[in-house]
C-alpha cells in the first residue's frame, strides 16, 4: 500500500499544520509529514484520524497495488525536460465522497471547451480555505455561479466570475461550495 495523504491534502489546499490541527486529538505538523512520507508507520488509527481531518473516506488515502500507476519518465521545468533523480509514479486521482464535477462547454477564463473540473465540496466552516480559488456555488432554482472567491465577510462570499468584463457578485449563505481541485483536459 502507498499513502496518498499528501496528494489529498494538497488537492484540498491544506498545509501539514492545517491537517494536524484538524485531527482529533490534534497532533503536530511533523507527525503528519512523517506519516505522509512513510518515515512513520501509518496505522489504521492514524489513517482514520487523518481521513476524518481531511473529510474523506480512509480508502481515498491509500493506493493499493492493483491500482493503475503511471511511471514518470521526465520532469519539465524552466530548463526543459530532464531525467528524474528517483523513481516516481502518478496514481489515479481518488474521487472523494462528496466530490462533484463541472463540464466546460465553452471556453471561459483559463478553462477550455471540453475541460472537466473536479470540485471538492466544502461546508461553510471551510469557506475561508477557498480564498483566491475557483469555486462553484449553488444558487436558488437550480442555478450556479462559477468564479474566483475574492473575499468573504461574515456569511457573504464575494465572487468574481471568470468571463471578460464580469462584475463581482455577492452570494449570501450558500449551503456549500465546490472548490476546483483538479483539471482534466484532453490535448
Amino acid at each position: 500500500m502507498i499513502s496518498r495523504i499528501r496528494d489529498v491534502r494538497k488537492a484540498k489546499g491544506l498545509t501539514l499544520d492545517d491537517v494536524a490541527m484538524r485531527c482529533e486529538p490534534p497532533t503536530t505538523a511533523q507527525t503528519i509529514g512523517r506519516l505522509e512520507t512513510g518515515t512513520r508507520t501509518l496505522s489504521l488509527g492514524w489513517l482514520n484520524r487523518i481521513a476524518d481531518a481531511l473529510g474523506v473516506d480512509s480508502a481515498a488515502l491509500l493506493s493499493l497495488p492493483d491500482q493503475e500507476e503511471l511511471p514518470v519518465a521526465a520532469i519539465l521545468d524552466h530548463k526543459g525536460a530532464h531525467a528524474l533523480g528517483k523513481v516516481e509514479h502518478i496514481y489515479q486521482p481518488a474521487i472523494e465522497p462528496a466530490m462533484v464535477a463541472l463540464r466546460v462547454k465553452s471556453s471561459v477564463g483559463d478553462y477550455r471547451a471540453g475541460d472537466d473540473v473536479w470540485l471538492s465540496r466544502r461546508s461553510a466552516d471551510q469557506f475561508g480555505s477557498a480564498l483566491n480559488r475557483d469555486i462553484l456555488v449553488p444558487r436558488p432554482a437550480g442555478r450556479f455561479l462559477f468564479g474566483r472567491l475574492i473575499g468573504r465577510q461574515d456569511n457573504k462570499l464575494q465572487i468574481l466570475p471568470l468571463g471578460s468584463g464580469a462584475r463581482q457578485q455577492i452570494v449570501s449563505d450558500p449551503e456549500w461550495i465546490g472548490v476546483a481541485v483538479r483539471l482534466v483536459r484532453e490535448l
Side-chain angles (χ1 to χ4, degrees), residues 94-169:
I95 298 174
E96 299 169 18
M99 194 171 246
V100 294
L102 172 74
R103 178 152 288 158
V104 180
K105 290 291 186 182
S106 299
S107 296
V108 60
D110 292 331
Y111 300 96
R112 299 182 197 159
D115 286 351
D116 288 330
V117 182
W118 293 21
L119 305 146
S120 176
R121 283 179 59 145
R122 309 271 171 93
S123 57
D125 62 327
Q126 300 170 317
F127 290 175
S129 67
L131 280 172
N132 297 314
R133 307 267 309 266
D134 291 342
I135 64 169
L136 179 69
V137 183
R139 304 291 308 266
R143 295 177 299 135
F144 289 90
L145 174 62
F146 185 67
R148 178 73 40 104
L149 178 60
I150 58 173
R152 177 180 180 214
Q153 188 173 19
D154 300 322
N155 61 346
K156 296 180 181 176
L157 301 180
Q158 301 161 354
I159 301 164
L160 184 61
L162 302 178
S164 163
R167 296 174 57 171
Q168 172 183 312
Q169 295 192 27

Side-chain angles (χ1 to χ4, degrees), residues 50-116:
I50 294 171
D52 288 344
L54 291 169
V56 299
D57 186 80
S58 56
L61 301 180
L62 298 175
S63 176
L64 301 174
D66 62 345
Q67 290 181 316
E68 291 184 31
E69 58 185 47
L70 185 64
V72 177
I75 299 291
L76 180 64
D77 62 18
H78 65 283
K79 296 179 183 175
H82 53 89
L84 280 70
K86 62 179 184 170
V87 175
E88 292 184 31
H89 292 89
I90 295 174
Y91 299 93
Q92 291 184 29
I95 298 174
E96 299 169 18
M99 194 171 246
V100 294
L102 172 74
R103 178 152 288 158
V104 180
K105 290 291 186 182
S106 299
S107 296
V108 60
D110 292 331
Y111 300 96
R112 299 182 197 159
D115 286 351
D116 288 330

Side-chain angles (χ1 to χ4, degrees), residues 6-27:
R6 177 177 286 148
D7 296 335
V8 174
R9 175 180 61 80
K10 286 186 174 187
K12 289 186 164 278
L14 299 172
T15 66
L16 290 170
D17 195 49
D18 293 336
V19 176
M21 291 298 107
R22 290 179 177 199
C23 280
E24 276 299 322
T27 186

